[in-house]
Amino acid sequence: MAVQLDGAVDQTAPRTGKGGAPPTRRGGGSRRAARGAPYLLLLPALLATAVFLGWPMVRNLLLSFQNLNMKELIQHLTDWRGIGNYQEILGSEQFWRVTLRTLVFTAVNVALIMILGVLIGLLLARLGTKMRLTLSAALVLAWAMPAIAATTVFQWLFDSRYGVVNWLLDKLGAHSMAHYDWVGTQLSTFFVITVLIVWQSLPFVALNLYAATTTIPRELYEAARMDGAGTWKVFTSVTFPFLKPFFLATTFLEVIWVFKAFPQIFAINEGGPDRLTETLPIYAFTEGVGNLHFGMGAAISLLTIVVLLVMTAYYLRLTVTQEKQEENEL
């Protein structure tokens, strides 16, 4: 019996000794294919990004080193200027004034958007079903309105002669505002633009915050209230810790959206009066297309991207720091 078993083992076992072929590993190719599948799925998106974003960026970079005005454009001339455009821009007081104005404008708008958006999102979480659906529908309609259409509506609302805002202020007793020109000064123009941008951005923050609050276990709220915690204490001890990643991500997205806002500012008053409401995107367009200094406009747009990259790096640093803190707490 033992001899027969030994013979069967000798017949079925693979030969791995001297002169024998090594055993073949089955399934290696399928594992390699499985590992490469995600990269194949990403390939169309990477190709589209390279074509529609990468190539224009390269062309814009080359253009920023040229002295390209209407003469060179018509005659198809290439006048290389090197870093002359960047030197002129960075040495200009106008560029630094516009940069500071853009940063302040972005900070004020993002702060208002986040504060009001959080309040509306928390309100949605407390409303009944019918009121929540009604408010959500209104927010979606405001969010879905195109930027130029919304800007046109606000131009009519704040019109100096036929605007509803001036008419309402006059009826309330502020007769000096009956024919007030809202785009006549820097502060009033920025006020109109800020109201418009905040109004357009609130739905995104509010609806996302409400969706995030639905993931918080209700038992935590009940436990906090049983311990005697008030509304503010419940928010700081229960709601905010759960929504902290949401706050960071949403704030970062709003910073990018406000920083590069173009149609609202340009359509309201084209960066006026006297170019006092120009932000970096408006400044790049005015110098490049408005004044026909295309190389200069390309250089300003690339410097704008650099500022956004610095802000992005700061956000990623905050995100990594938060993740490390959470790991240490666990």
Side-chain angles (χ1 to χ4, degrees):
M1 186 67 178
V3 174
Q4 292 178 354
L5 290 175
D6 292 340
V9 171
D10 291 338
Q11 291 177 2
T12 57
R15 296 182 178 181
T16 58
K18 185 176 180 180
T24 58
R25 296 182 179 179
R26 297 180 179 179
S30 61
R31 285 195 295 269
R32 285 193 296 269
R35 286 196 296 267
Y39 300 100
L40 291 176
L41 294 175
L42 287 174
L43 187 59
L46 293 176
L47 290 176
T49 302
V51 172
F52 296 107
L53 182 61
W55 177 241
M57 286 289 295
V58 172
R59 293 290 299 173
N60 196 57
L61 178 63
L62 295 175
L63 185 61
S64 68
F65 294 112
Q66 299 177 25
N67 180 29
L68 182 60
N69 297 326
M70 186 57 67
K71 175 184 175 182
E72 289 79 11
L73 187 64
I74 294 176
Q75 298 181 0
H76 300 283
L77 299 177
T78 302
D79 182 13
W80 293 100
R81 197 183 178 193
I83 61 173
N85 288 332
Y86 293 97
Q87 290 176 336
E88 184 175 345
I89 293 169
L90 296 176
S92 171
E93 294 183 2
Q94 176 70 7
F95 171 76
W96 295 109
R97 282 197 298 267
V98 173
T99 302
L100 178 60
R101 184 186 304 146
T102 305
L103 294 175
V104 174
F105 173 76
T106 302
V108 171
N109 277 268
V110 171
L112 291 173
I113 290 168
M114 293 305 299
I115 293 173
L116 296 176
V118 168
L119 293 176
I120 296 175
L122 295 176
L123 177 63
L124 284 171
R126 290 177 173 270
L127 289 176
T129 303
K130 292 183 179 180
M131 288 299 298
R132 182 167 59 246
L133 290 176
T134 302
L135 181 56
S136 298
L139 291 172
V140 170
L141 289 175
W143 193 15
M145 183 176 291
I148 295 299
T151 305
T152 303
V153 172
F154 271 73
Q155 285 178 317
W156 172 70
L157 290 174
F158 288 92
D159 185 74
S160 59
R161 296 181 61 185
Y162 307 106
V164 175
V165 175
N166 286 354
W167 174 83
L168 183 60
L169 291 175
D170 182 38
K171 293 297 182 181
L172 293 176
H175 302 295
S176 60
M177 302 295 293
H179 299 286
Y180 183 74
D181 185 9
W182 287 94
V183 295
T185 64
Q186 182 186 33
L187 290 179
S188 60
T189 304
F190 266 132
F191 174 79
V192 176
I193 296 171
T194 299
V195 173
L196 170 58
I197 290 180
V198 170
W199 177 76
Q200 287 186 299
S201 303
L202 281 178
F204 175 78
V205 178
L207 293 174
N208 278 279
L209 177 67
Y210 166 69
T213 57
T214 59
T215 64
I216 302 176
R218 295 300 173 187
E219 294 81 4
L220 296 179
Y221 287 111
E222 295 175 0
R225 293 190 180 94
M226 289 178 64
D227 291 339
T231 303
W232 177 250
K233 186 64 177 178
V234 170
F235 176 79
T236 56
S237 61
V238 178
T239 306
F240 184 76
F242 269 88
L243 301 183
K244 191 175 180 180
F246 159 81
F247 285 119
L248 287 176
T250 307
T251 302
F252 174 68
L253 293 176
E254 289 299 329
V255 166
I256 293 178
W257 193 83
V258 175
F259 189 89
K260 65 182 184 68
F262 178 86
Q264 299 91 341
I265 302 174
F266 188 81
I268 286 292
N269 201 16
E270 299 183 2
D274 299 325
R275 303 184 66 174
L276 292 176
T277 58
E278 282 185 349
T279 57
L280 282 174
I282 305 297
Y283 183 49
F285 179 83
T286 302
E287 291 295 328
V289 179
N291 296 335
L292 302 179
H293 298 158
F294 300 105
M296 192 75 67
I300 296 172
S301 65
L302 286 175
L303 290 174
T304 303
I305 294 174
V306 170
V307 176
L308 278 175
L309 289 177
V310 172
M311 298 168 68
T312 302
Y314 178 72
Y315 164 75
L316 293 176
R317 181 181 177 184
L318 287 178
T319 303
V320 171
T321 303
Q322 180 188 358
E323 291 178 353
K324 290 182 178 179
Q325 290 177 352
E326 292 177 353
E327 291 177 358
N328 294 333
E329 291 177 356
L330 295 176

